[in-house]
Amino acid sequence: LKYTFLSFQRNITECPTYQFMLEQFKNHKVTSEKYCQGKHDVVHVADTYLCLLESTRKHQELTEMYGGKGERSIEASANIVGLKLPKTYDPNNS
């Protein structure tokens, strides 16, 4: 299984996040001697990490798409949301 991160393609087992999650699952096996936790607690933590990673990636995409370009003109801002400004009145062209 391959994943892409910042235009590099790697094997998923080399991903630090994958290695961290694998370690967490191994360390949090439910046993009566070691932990007093529900059987699905680690799955919930994994889902939470997944949500964090997906949200971070989406935030990065939105920031690249809409942010970081400095001040925009009113016309450029309107174009981003699909609006067009009316033509301004020019008394010399009437």
Side-chain angles (χ1 to χ4, degrees):
L1 189 61
K2 300 260 184 199
Y3 76 97
T4 303
F5 180 72
L6 297 175
S7 74
F8 296 107
Q9 202 171 47
R10 295 195 224 166
N11 190 330
I12 192 73
T13 57
E14 297 172 4
C15 175
T17 305
Y18 175 84
Q19 292 170 355
F20 175 77
M21 290 305 300
L22 188 62
E23 180 183 321
Q24 292 298 309
F25 271 96
K26 287 180 181 178
N27 290 337
H28 291 89
K29 291 181 182 174
V30 178
T31 62
S32 59
E33 320 122 16
K34 196 170 181 183
Y35 293 104
C36 181
Q37 62 184 6
K39 292 182 179 181
H40 302 289
D41 284 352
V42 176
V43 174
H44 174 70
V45 171
D47 288 340
T48 304
Y49 280 126
L50 177 62
C51 180
L52 171 69
L53 293 173
E54 289 173 342
S55 299
T56 303
R57 180 172 294 176
K58 187 66 177 175
H59 177 263
Q60 182 180 6
E61 289 174 9
L62 291 171
T63 300
E64 288 173 4
M65 186 181 302
Y66 295 111
K69 295 183 181 176
E71 286 290 317
R72 292 190 170 109
S73 68
I74 295 173
E75 185 176 359
S77 299
N79 287 337
I80 287 175
V81 295
L83 299 174
K84 293 184 179 178
L85 295 178
K87 294 183 180 180
T88 55
Y89 175 72
D90 186 7
N92 297 329
N93 280 342
S94 20

